[in-house]
Amino acid sequence: MKKNVIDDCDLKYVLDIISDKWSVFVILTLSEKKVVRFNELQKLLKGISQKMLTASLRKLEGNKLVERRVFGEIPPKVEYTLSSIGLSLVPHIKNVVEWAVNNVDEIKSVDHNL
Amino acid sequence: MKKNVIDDCDLKYVLDIISDKWSVFVILTLSEKKVVRFNELQKLLKGISQKMLTASLRKLEGNKLVERRVFGEIPPKVEYTLSSIGLSLVPHIKNVVEWAVNNVDEIKSVDHNL
DNA sequence: CCGAATCCTCGAAGATACTG
DNA sequence: CAGTATCTTCGAGGATTCGG
């Protein structure tokens, strides 16, 4: 079932998922590393707090973009991977990334307080 | 001059521009209407306040994605259009839009409080 | 190691009123 | 018509502590 019109609400919903401070970077990191444990992810995403990483992962998991595997071990081990839907989003994000890389120098305003 | 590596800071900079509440919709609306006046834009973007529309437009203008033409008339008349750089971003945004339309139903979590 | 729980700050964003 | 100026609210996100 394919929709023919652009639905603002659908876009809003998706933007709400990926337009926070870290989600895009979580997704990109997962797409590079394939499988990543929580701690490794936190190290790769320099600057993110545990709380926000957890929140970001939970949100992505709740929206089926990310899969979470818990191993019943001591010490705990939890692996995160992109779902197939999550993977299908990656190329589109990478397009924006590429655009960004090619255009930042030109758009970057002198006044960084904008 | 083309860069070969993905620069997180560049991406952060661009995401900072387009990941607020309205910028994406401003850009999409401008890409449809080509030329839009302030008031018309506010009507099209149902729900946006004058303050946020102004802020959004100033930010986009400051980053050269949007152009602003002021007519010295009474009553005032100001037209907004996408710059060529802004236009070059549109297809990438539309790709995400299309992905969103095609996948929201599947990813939408039951718990809307996520 | 992987979080959950708590407290706190700060800026995004809304509401309202005013102006050239 | 196209904003600016204030005031206020609200929640994203940080820091820290605690637990299985």
Side-chain angles (χ1 to χ4, degrees):
Chain A
M1 188 193 67
K2 196 173 187 307
K3 299 174 186 175
N4 298 313
V5 288
I6 292 178
D7 184 342
D8 272 9
C9 290
D10 288 351
L11 179 54
K12 253 174 203 163
Y13 186 87
V14 172
L15 287 180
D16 184 59
I17 299 174
I18 62 175
S19 72
D20 59 30
K21 192 172 178 180
W22 294 102
S23 292
V24 168
F25 293 101
V26 171
I27 292 172
L28 287 176
T29 304
L30 287 179
S31 83
E32 285 176 14
K33 296 289 181 177
K34 311 300 180 193
V35 183
V36 196
R37 295 181 62 177
F38 187 89
N39 252 12
E40 192 187 354
L41 203 43
Q42 193 180 6
K43 283 168 199 158
L44 293 170
L45 299 167
K46 296 180 195 299
I48 194 174
S49 64
Q50 279 188 343
K51 177 188 169 184
M52 292 317 296
L53 180 54
T54 301
S56 199
L57 287 168
R58 290 285 180 282
K59 193 170 184 178
L60 293 171
E61 188 196 0
N63 287 289
K64 296 161 192 137
L65 298 180
V66 161
E67 285 165 3
R68 182 170 179 262
R69 285 187 64 198
V70 181
F71 299 80
E73 302 176 357
I74 302 294
K77 178 178 175 182
V78 180
E79 286 180 351
Y80 292 92
T81 56
L82 285 178
S83 68
S84 57
I85 307 183
L87 270 174
S88 72
L89 217 202
V90 171
H92 302 116
I93 292 181
K94 287 195 174 173
N95 282 339
V96 177
V97 174
E98 196 182 353
W99 182 92
V101 174
N102 291 330
N103 291 278
V104 217
D105 291 338
E106 200 169 348
I107 67 173
K108 213 166 218 166
S109 57
V110 181
D111 184 358
H112 284 218
N113 292 329
L114 276 177
Chain B
M1 189 190 69
K2 196 174 185 310
K3 298 174 186 176
N4 299 312
V5 287
I6 292 178
D7 184 342
D8 272 9
C9 290
D10 289 351
L11 179 55
K12 253 173 202 164
Y13 186 86
V14 172
L15 288 180
D16 184 59
I17 300 173
I18 62 176
S19 72
D20 59 30
K21 193 173 179 181
W22 295 102
S23 291
V24 168
F25 294 100
V26 171
I27 292 172
L28 287 176
T29 303
L30 287 180
S31 83
E32 284 176 15
K33 297 289 180 177
K34 313 298 179 194
V35 182
V36 196
R37 294 180 63 176
F38 187 89
N39 253 13
E40 190 186 355
L41 202 44
Q42 193 181 7
K43 281 168 198 157
L44 292 169
L45 300 166
K46 295 179 194 298
I48 195 173
S49 64
Q50 279 188 341
K51 177 188 169 184
M52 291 316 296
L53 179 53
T54 301
S56 200
L57 287 168
R58 290 286 181 281
K59 193 170 182 178
L60 293 171
E61 188 195 0
N63 288 288
K64 296 162 193 138
L65 297 179
V66 161
E67 285 164 4
R68 182 170 179 262
R69 285 187 62 199
V70 182
F71 299 79
E73 301 176 357
I74 302 293
K77 178 177 175 182
V78 180
E79 287 181 350
Y80 292 92
T81 56
L82 285 178
S83 68
S84 58
I85 307 184
L87 271 173
S88 73
L89 216 203
V90 171
H92 302 115
I93 293 181
K94 287 196 173 172
N95 282 339
V96 176
V97 174
E98 195 183 355
W99 182 92
V101 174
N102 291 330
N103 291 280
V104 217
D105 291 339
E106 200 170 347
I107 67 173
K108 212 166 218 166
S109 56
V110 182
D111 184 358
H112 283 218
N113 292 329
L114 276 180

PDB file of all heavy atoms in Angstrom, chain B residues 6-36:
ATOM      1  N   ILE B   6      33.852  12.247   5.661  1.00  0.00           N
ATOM      2  CA  ILE B   6      32.676  12.775   6.330  1.00  0.00           C
ATOM      3  C   ILE B   6      33.110  13.494   7.602  1.00  0.00           C
ATOM      4  O   ILE B   6      33.721  12.918   8.483  1.00  0.00           O
ATOM      5  CB  ILE B   6      31.688  11.639   6.681  1.00  0.00           C
ATOM      6  CG1 ILE B   6      31.094  11.063   5.406  1.00  0.00           C
ATOM      7  CG2 ILE B   6      30.603  12.161   7.600  1.00  0.00           C
ATOM      8  CD1 ILE B   6      30.160   9.907   5.663  1.00  0.00           C
ATOM      9  N   ASP B   7      32.797  14.759   7.649  1.00  0.00           N
ATOM     10  CA  ASP B   7      33.172  15.574   8.792  1.00  0.00           C
ATOM     11  C   ASP B   7      31.967  15.759   9.711  1.00  0.00           C
ATOM     12  O   ASP B   7      30.979  16.374   9.351  1.00  0.00           O
ATOM     13  CB  ASP B   7      33.677  16.942   8.304  1.00  0.00           C
ATOM     14  CG  ASP B   7      34.175  17.781   9.455  1.00  0.00           C
ATOM     15  OD1 ASP B   7      33.824  17.480  10.611  1.00  0.00           O
ATOM     16  OD2 ASP B   7      34.922  18.734   9.191  1.00  0.00           O
ATOM     17  N   ASP B   8      32.081  15.187  10.898  1.00  0.00           N
ATOM     18  CA  ASP B   8      30.978  15.279  11.843  1.00  0.00           C
ATOM     19  C   ASP B   8      30.565  16.716  12.119  1.00  0.00           C
ATOM     20  O   ASP B   8      29.381  17.009  12.260  1.00  0.00           O
ATOM     21  CB  ASP B   8      31.370  14.603  13.166  1.00  0.00           C
ATOM     22  CG  ASP B   8      31.047  13.119  13.129  1.00  0.00           C
ATOM     23  OD1 ASP B   8      30.698  12.618  12.043  1.00  0.00           O
ATOM     24  OD2 ASP B   8      31.133  12.473  14.186  1.00  0.00           O
ATOM     25  N   CYS B   9      31.531  17.602  12.178  1.00  0.00           N
ATOM     26  CA  CYS B   9      31.210  18.984  12.493  1.00  0.00           C
ATOM     27  C   CYS B   9      30.394  19.633  11.386  1.00  0.00           C
ATOM     28  O   CYS B   9      29.477  20.410  11.647  1.00  0.00           O
ATOM     29  CB  CYS B   9      32.479  19.784  12.761  1.00  0.00           C
ATOM     30  SG  CYS B   9      33.278  19.327  14.308  1.00  0.00           S
ATOM     31  N   ASP B  10      30.749  19.332  10.148  1.00  0.00           N
ATOM     32  CA  ASP B  10      29.972  19.836   9.025  1.00  0.00           C
ATOM     33  C   ASP B  10      28.536  19.351   9.117  1.00  0.00           C
ATOM     34  O   ASP B  10      27.591  20.127   8.959  1.00  0.00           O
ATOM     35  CB  ASP B  10      30.580  19.362   7.696  1.00  0.00           C
ATOM     36  CG  ASP B  10      31.898  20.061   7.411  1.00  0.00           C
ATOM     37  OD1 ASP B  10      32.227  21.019   8.145  1.00  0.00           O
ATOM     38  OD2 ASP B  10      32.595  19.647   6.472  1.00  0.00           O
ATOM     39  N   LEU B  11      28.380  18.069   9.381  1.00  0.00           N
ATOM     40  CA  LEU B  11      27.036  17.514   9.475  1.00  0.00           C
ATOM     41  C   LEU B  11      26.281  18.148  10.628  1.00  0.00           C
ATOM     42  O   LEU B  11      25.118  18.513  10.502  1.00  0.00           O
ATOM     43  CB  LEU B  11      27.104  15.999   9.669  1.00  0.00           C
ATOM     44  CG  LEU B  11      25.756  15.288   9.813  1.00  0.00           C
ATOM     45  CD1 LEU B  11      24.842  15.592   8.641  1.00  0.00           C
ATOM     46  CD2 LEU B  11      25.959  13.793   9.969  1.00  0.00           C
ATOM     47  N   LYS B  12      26.957  18.310  11.753  1.00  0.00           N
ATOM     48  CA  LYS B  12      26.329  18.948  12.909  1.00  0.00           C
ATOM     49  C   LYS B  12      25.847  20.346  12.544  1.00  0.00           C
ATOM     50  O   LYS B  12      24.763  20.759  12.946  1.00  0.00           O
ATOM     51  CB  LYS B  12      27.328  19.030  14.068  1.00  0.00           C
ATOM     52  CG  LYS B  12      27.024  18.055  15.193  1.00  0.00           C
ATOM     53  CD  LYS B  12      28.130  18.051  16.244  1.00  0.00           C
ATOM     54  CE  LYS B  12      28.093  16.738  17.026  1.00  0.00           C
ATOM     55  NZ  LYS B  12      29.316  16.480  17.783  1.00  0.00           N
ATOM     56  N   TYR B  13      26.683  21.056  11.829  1.00  0.00           N
ATOM     57  CA  TYR B  13      26.332  22.419  11.453  1.00  0.00           C
ATOM     58  C   TYR B  13      25.055  22.437  10.616  1.00  0.00           C
ATOM     59  O   TYR B  13      24.148  23.235  10.850  1.00  0.00           O
ATOM     60  CB  TYR B  13      27.476  23.077  10.677  1.00  0.00           C
ATOM     61  CG  TYR B  13      27.237  24.531  10.373  1.00  0.00           C
ATOM     62  CD1 TYR B  13      27.568  25.513  11.298  1.00  0.00           C
ATOM     63  CD2 TYR B  13      26.649  24.919   9.171  1.00  0.00           C
ATOM     64  CE1 TYR B  13      27.328  26.852  11.034  1.00  0.00           C
ATOM     65  CE2 TYR B  13      26.406  26.249   8.906  1.00  0.00           C
ATOM     66  CZ  TYR B  13      26.747  27.213   9.836  1.00  0.00           C
ATOM     67  OH  TYR B  13      26.487  28.527   9.570  1.00  0.00           O
ATOM     68  N   VAL B  14      24.999  21.560   9.629  1.00  0.00           N
ATOM     69  CA  VAL B  14      23.830  21.511   8.751  1.00  0.00           C
ATOM     70  C   VAL B  14      22.596  21.018   9.497  1.00  0.00           C
ATOM     71  O   VAL B  14      21.503  21.570   9.339  1.00  0.00           O
ATOM     72  CB  VAL B  14      24.112  20.607   7.535  1.00  0.00           C
ATOM     73  CG1 VAL B  14      22.840  20.390   6.728  1.00  0.00           C
ATOM     74  CG2 VAL B  14      25.176  21.239   6.664  1.00  0.00           C
ATOM     75  N   LEU B  15      22.782  20.011  10.319  1.00  0.00           N
ATOM     76  CA  LEU B  15      21.647  19.510  11.096  1.00  0.00           C
ATOM     77  C   LEU B  15      21.109  20.594  12.022  1.00  0.00           C
ATOM     78  O   LEU B  15      19.908  20.685  12.257  1.00  0.00           O
ATOM     79  CB  LEU B  15      22.058  18.285  11.920  1.00  0.00           C
ATOM     80  CG  LEU B  15      22.288  17.003  11.129  1.00  0.00           C
ATOM     81  CD1 LEU B  15      22.689  15.863  12.064  1.00  0.00           C
ATOM     82  CD2 LEU B  15      21.044  16.621  10.341  1.00  0.00           C
ATOM     83  N   ASP B  16      22.007  21.411  12.519  1.00  0.00           N
ATOM     84  CA  ASP B  16      21.587  22.494  13.410  1.00  0.00           C
ATOM     85  C   ASP B  16      20.680  23.483  12.677  1.00  0.00           C
ATOM     86  O   ASP B  16      19.787  24.084  13.274  1.00  0.00           O
ATOM     87  CB  ASP B  16      22.813  23.223  13.962  1.00  0.00           C
ATOM     88  CG  ASP B  16      22.415  24.285  14.953  1.00  0.00           C
ATOM     89  OD1 ASP B  16      21.781  23.943  15.969  1.00  0.00           O
ATOM     90  OD2 ASP B  16      22.721  25.472  14.705  1.00  0.00           O
ATOM     91  N   ILE B  17      20.909  23.608  11.383  1.00  0.00           N
ATOM     92  CA  ILE B  17      20.079  24.525  10.598  1.00  0.00           C
ATOM     93  C   ILE B  17      18.699  23.941  10.323  1.00  0.00           C
ATOM     94  O   ILE B  17      17.679  24.605  10.481  1.00  0.00           O
ATOM     95  CB  ILE B  17      20.753  24.848   9.245  1.00  0.00           C
ATOM     96  CG1 ILE B  17      22.110  25.514   9.482  1.00  0.00           C
ATOM     97  CG2 ILE B  17      19.864  25.752   8.387  1.00  0.00           C
ATOM     98  CD1 ILE B  17      22.901  25.717   8.210  1.00  0.00           C
ATOM     99  N   ILE B  18      18.676  22.680   9.923  1.00  0.00           N
ATOM    100  CA  ILE B  18      17.410  22.119   9.437  1.00  0.00           C
ATOM    101  C   ILE B  18      16.673  21.237  10.438  1.00  0.00           C
ATOM    102  O   ILE B  18      15.596  20.750  10.137  1.00  0.00           O
ATOM    103  CB  ILE B  18      17.647  21.293   8.152  1.00  0.00           C
ATOM    104  CG1 ILE B  18      18.569  20.103   8.442  1.00  0.00           C
ATOM    105  CG2 ILE B  18      18.207  22.162   7.037  1.00  0.00           C
ATOM    106  CD1 ILE B  18      18.757  19.185   7.243  1.00  0.00           C
ATOM    107  N   SER B  19      17.250  21.063  11.629  1.00  0.00           N
ATOM    108  CA  SER B  19      16.584  20.129  12.535  1.00  0.00           C
ATOM    109  C   SER B  19      15.750  20.842  13.597  1.00  0.00           C
ATOM    110  O   SER B  19      15.421  20.246  14.608  1.00  0.00           O
ATOM    111  CB  SER B  19      17.609  19.215  13.202  1.00  0.00           C
ATOM    112  OG  SER B  19      18.356  19.930  14.150  1.00  0.00           O
ATOM    113  N   ASP B  20      15.420  22.088  13.360  1.00  0.00           N
ATOM    114  CA  ASP B  20      14.494  22.715  14.294  1.00  0.00           C
ATOM    115  C   ASP B  20      13.077  22.385  13.866  1.00  0.00           C
ATOM    116  O   ASP B  20      12.843  21.612  12.950  1.00  0.00           O
ATOM    117  CB  ASP B  20      14.732  24.219  14.393  1.00  0.00           C
ATOM    118  CG  ASP B  20      14.577  24.900  13.054  1.00  0.00           C
ATOM    119  OD1 ASP B  20      13.788  24.425  12.214  1.00  0.00           O
ATOM    120  OD2 ASP B  20      15.250  25.915  12.824  1.00  0.00           O
ATOM    121  N   LYS B  21      12.145  22.990  14.525  1.00  0.00           N
ATOM    122  CA  LYS B  21      10.752  22.554  14.344  1.00  0.00           C
ATOM    123  C   LYS B  21      10.167  22.882  12.980  1.00  0.00           C
ATOM    124  O   LYS B  21       9.244  22.205  12.514  1.00  0.00           O
ATOM    125  CB  LYS B  21       9.891  23.180  15.446  1.00  0.00           C
ATOM    126  CG  LYS B  21       8.512  22.569  15.561  1.00  0.00           C
ATOM    127  CD  LYS B  21       7.780  23.109  16.786  1.00  0.00           C
ATOM    128  CE  LYS B  21       6.389  22.501  16.882  1.00  0.00           C
ATOM    129  NZ  LYS B  21       5.649  23.018  18.054  1.00  0.00           N
ATOM    130  N   TRP B  22      10.667  23.927  12.330  1.00  0.00           N
ATOM    131  CA  TRP B  22       9.968  24.414  11.144  1.00  0.00           C
ATOM    132  C   TRP B  22      10.787  24.477   9.868  1.00  0.00           C
ATOM    133  O   TRP B  22      10.215  24.494   8.764  1.00  0.00           O
ATOM    134  CB  TRP B  22       9.402  25.811  11.421  1.00  0.00           C
ATOM    135  CG  TRP B  22       8.344  25.813  12.466  1.00  0.00           C
ATOM    136  CD1 TRP B  22       8.482  26.190  13.775  1.00  0.00           C
ATOM    137  CD2 TRP B  22       6.983  25.395  12.323  1.00  0.00           C
ATOM    138  NE1 TRP B  22       7.290  26.045  14.428  1.00  0.00           N
ATOM    139  CE2 TRP B  22       6.352  25.562  13.561  1.00  0.00           C
ATOM    140  CE3 TRP B  22       6.234  24.900  11.230  1.00  0.00           C
ATOM    141  CZ2 TRP B  22       5.012  25.239  13.763  1.00  0.00           C
ATOM    142  CZ3 TRP B  22       4.904  24.591  11.433  1.00  0.00           C
ATOM    143  CH2 TRP B  22       4.309  24.760  12.681  1.00  0.00           C
ATOM    144  N   SER B  23      12.104  24.548   9.955  1.00  0.00           N
ATOM    145  CA  SER B  23      12.931  24.825   8.777  1.00  0.00           C
ATOM    146  C   SER B  23      12.627  23.923   7.590  1.00  0.00           C
ATOM    147  O   SER B  23      12.522  24.399   6.459  1.00  0.00           O
ATOM    148  CB  SER B  23      14.404  24.700   9.157  1.00  0.00           C
ATOM    149  OG  SER B  23      14.771  25.757  10.019  1.00  0.00           O
ATOM    150  N   VAL B  24      12.502  22.638   7.851  1.00  0.00           N
ATOM    151  CA  VAL B  24      12.240  21.708   6.757  1.00  0.00           C
ATOM    152  C   VAL B  24      10.947  22.065   6.040  1.00  0.00           C
ATOM    153  O   VAL B  24      10.877  22.046   4.810  1.00  0.00           O
ATOM    154  CB  VAL B  24      12.177  20.256   7.266  1.00  0.00           C
ATOM    155  CG1 VAL B  24      11.627  19.324   6.192  1.00  0.00           C
ATOM    156  CG2 VAL B  24      13.560  19.792   7.707  1.00  0.00           C
ATOM    157  N   PHE B  25       9.939  22.434   6.819  1.00  0.00           N
ATOM    158  CA  PHE B  25       8.657  22.767   6.208  1.00  0.00           C
ATOM    159  C   PHE B  25       8.709  24.109   5.476  1.00  0.00           C
ATOM    160  O   PHE B  25       8.053  24.275   4.453  1.00  0.00           O
ATOM    161  CB  PHE B  25       7.558  22.768   7.274  1.00  0.00           C
ATOM    162  CG  PHE B  25       7.308  21.400   7.845  1.00  0.00           C
ATOM    163  CD1 PHE B  25       7.860  21.041   9.062  1.00  0.00           C
ATOM    164  CD2 PHE B  25       6.548  20.468   7.154  1.00  0.00           C
ATOM    165  CE1 PHE B  25       7.646  19.764   9.590  1.00  0.00           C
ATOM    166  CE2 PHE B  25       6.329  19.197   7.665  1.00  0.00           C
ATOM    167  CZ  PHE B  25       6.879  18.850   8.886  1.00  0.00           C
ATOM    168  N   VAL B  26       9.494  25.021   6.018  1.00  0.00           N
ATOM    169  CA  VAL B  26       9.698  26.285   5.317  1.00  0.00           C
ATOM    170  C   VAL B  26      10.347  26.022   3.961  1.00  0.00           C
ATOM    171  O   VAL B  26       9.889  26.512   2.926  1.00  0.00           O
ATOM    172  CB  VAL B  26      10.588  27.244   6.150  1.00  0.00           C
ATOM    173  CG1 VAL B  26      10.985  28.457   5.321  1.00  0.00           C
ATOM    174  CG2 VAL B  26       9.858  27.690   7.416  1.00  0.00           C
ATOM    175  N   ILE B  27      11.397  25.218   3.982  1.00  0.00           N
ATOM    176  CA  ILE B  27      12.108  24.903   2.740  1.00  0.00           C
ATOM    177  C   ILE B  27      11.190  24.210   1.739  1.00  0.00           C
ATOM    178  O   ILE B  27      11.155  24.574   0.554  1.00  0.00           O
ATOM    179  CB  ILE B  27      13.339  24.018   3.038  1.00  0.00           C
ATOM    180  CG1 ILE B  27      14.386  24.819   3.825  1.00  0.00           C
ATOM    181  CG2 ILE B  27      13.941  23.474   1.749  1.00  0.00           C
ATOM    182  CD1 ILE B  27      15.554  23.992   4.324  1.00  0.00           C
ATOM    183  N   LEU B  28      10.444  23.220   2.208  1.00  0.00           N
ATOM    184  CA  LEU B  28       9.552  22.490   1.303  1.00  0.00           C
ATOM    185  C   LEU B  28       8.473  23.406   0.727  1.00  0.00           C
ATOM    186  O   LEU B  28       8.135  23.317  -0.451  1.00  0.00           O
ATOM    187  CB  LEU B  28       8.909  21.316   2.040  1.00  0.00           C
ATOM    188  CG  LEU B  28       9.832  20.134   2.328  1.00  0.00           C
ATOM    189  CD1 LEU B  28       9.108  19.066   3.139  1.00  0.00           C
ATOM    190  CD2 LEU B  28      10.355  19.543   1.021  1.00  0.00           C
ATOM    191  N   THR B  29       7.951  24.279   1.573  1.00  0.00           N
ATOM    192  CA  THR B  29       6.910  25.196   1.098  1.00  0.00           C
ATOM    193  C   THR B  29       7.467  26.159   0.057  1.00  0.00           C
ATOM    194  O   THR B  29       6.834  26.416  -0.973  1.00  0.00           O
ATOM    195  CB  THR B  29       6.321  25.992   2.279  1.00  0.00           C
ATOM    196  OG1 THR B  29       5.818  25.081   3.253  1.00  0.00           O
ATOM    197  CG2 THR B  29       5.193  26.894   1.805  1.00  0.00           C
ATOM    198  N   LEU B  30       8.651  26.686   0.336  1.00  0.00           N
ATOM    199  CA  LEU B  30       9.273  27.589  -0.630  1.00  0.00           C
ATOM    200  C   LEU B  30       9.565  26.878  -1.945  1.00  0.00           C
ATOM    201  O   LEU B  30       9.471  27.471  -3.018  1.00  0.00           O
ATOM    202  CB  LEU B  30      10.569  28.167  -0.057  1.00  0.00           C
ATOM    203  CG  LEU B  30      10.412  29.218   1.046  1.00  0.00           C
ATOM    204  CD1 LEU B  30      11.768  29.706   1.528  1.00  0.00           C
ATOM    205  CD2 LEU B  30       9.579  30.393   0.549  1.00  0.00           C
ATOM    206  N   SER B  31       9.913  25.603  -1.852  1.00  0.00           N
ATOM    207  CA  SER B  31      10.228  24.873  -3.081  1.00  0.00           C
ATOM    208  C   SER B  31       8.977  24.623  -3.920  1.00  0.00           C
ATOM    209  O   SER B  31       9.055  24.477  -5.134  1.00  0.00           O
ATOM    210  CB  SER B  31      10.909  23.534  -2.754  1.00  0.00           C
ATOM    211  OG  SER B  31       9.947  22.541  -2.445  1.00  0.00           O
ATOM    212  N   GLU B  32       7.827  24.611  -3.274  1.00  0.00           N
ATOM    213  CA  GLU B  32       6.579  24.414  -4.018  1.00  0.00           C
ATOM    214  C   GLU B  32       6.059  25.713  -4.600  1.00  0.00           C
ATOM    215  O   GLU B  32       5.600  25.759  -5.737  1.00  0.00           O
ATOM    216  CB  GLU B  32       5.505  23.805  -3.104  1.00  0.00           C
ATOM    217  CG  GLU B  32       5.716  22.311  -2.837  1.00  0.00           C
ATOM    218  CD  GLU B  32       4.690  21.772  -1.844  1.00  0.00           C
ATOM    219  OE1 GLU B  32       3.677  22.465  -1.606  1.00  0.00           O
ATOM    220  OE2 GLU B  32       4.920  20.676  -1.303  1.00  0.00           O
ATOM    221  N   LYS B  33       6.111  26.760  -3.793  1.00  0.00           N
ATOM    222  CA  LYS B  33       5.508  28.029  -4.198  1.00  0.00           C
ATOM    223  C   LYS B  33       6.466  28.951  -4.947  1.00  0.00           C
ATOM    224  O   LYS B  33       6.051  29.992  -5.453  1.00  0.00           O
ATOM    225  CB  LYS B  33       4.974  28.758  -2.956  1.00  0.00           C
ATOM    226  CG  LYS B  33       3.864  28.022  -2.237  1.00  0.00           C
ATOM    227  CD  LYS B  33       2.579  28.044  -3.051  1.00  0.00           C
ATOM    228  CE  LYS B  33       1.458  27.310  -2.315  1.00  0.00           C
ATOM    229  NZ  LYS B  33       0.174  27.371  -3.054  1.00  0.00           N
ATOM    230  N   LYS B  34       7.757  28.587  -4.923  1.00  0.00           N
ATOM    231  CA  LYS B  34       8.772  29.416  -5.579  1.00  0.00           C
ATOM    232  C   LYS B  34       8.969  30.766  -4.876  1.00  0.00           C
ATOM    233  O   LYS B  34      10.019  31.055  -4.351  1.00  0.00           O
ATOM    234  CB  LYS B  34       8.437  29.671  -7.054  1.00  0.00           C
ATOM    235  CG  LYS B  34       8.033  28.426  -7.819  1.00  0.00           C
ATOM    236  CD  LYS B  34       9.145  27.393  -7.877  1.00  0.00           C
ATOM    237  CE  LYS B  34       8.703  26.143  -8.638  1.00  0.00           C
ATOM    238  NZ  LYS B  34       9.651  25.031  -8.419  1.00  0.00           N
ATOM    239  N   VAL B  35       7.931  31.607  -4.923  1.00  0.00           N
ATOM    240  CA  VAL B  35       8.023  32.928  -4.286  1.00  0.00           C
ATOM    241  C   VAL B  35       6.856  33.098  -3.327  1.00  0.00           C
ATOM    242  O   VAL B  35       5.707  32.916  -3.705  1.00  0.00           O
ATOM    243  CB  VAL B  35       7.970  34.060  -5.332  1.00  0.00           C
ATOM    244  CG1 VAL B  35       8.118  35.411  -4.657  1.00  0.00           C
ATOM    245  CG2 VAL B  35       9.045  33.855  -6.385  1.00  0.00           C
ATOM    246  N   VAL B  36       7.169  33.416  -2.097  1.00  0.00           N
ATOM    247  CA  VAL B  36       6.111  33.550  -1.102  1.00  0.00           C
ATOM    248  C   VAL B  36       6.344  34.775  -0.221  1.00  0.00           C
ATOM    249  O   VAL B  36       7.475  35.079   0.149  1.00  0.00           O
ATOM    250  CB  VAL B  36       6.041  32.308  -0.186  1.00  0.00           C
ATOM    251  CG1 VAL B  36       4.712  32.283   0.552  1.00  0.00           C
ATOM    252  CG2 VAL B  36       6.235  31.025  -0.963  1.00  0.00           C
TER     253      VAL B  36
END
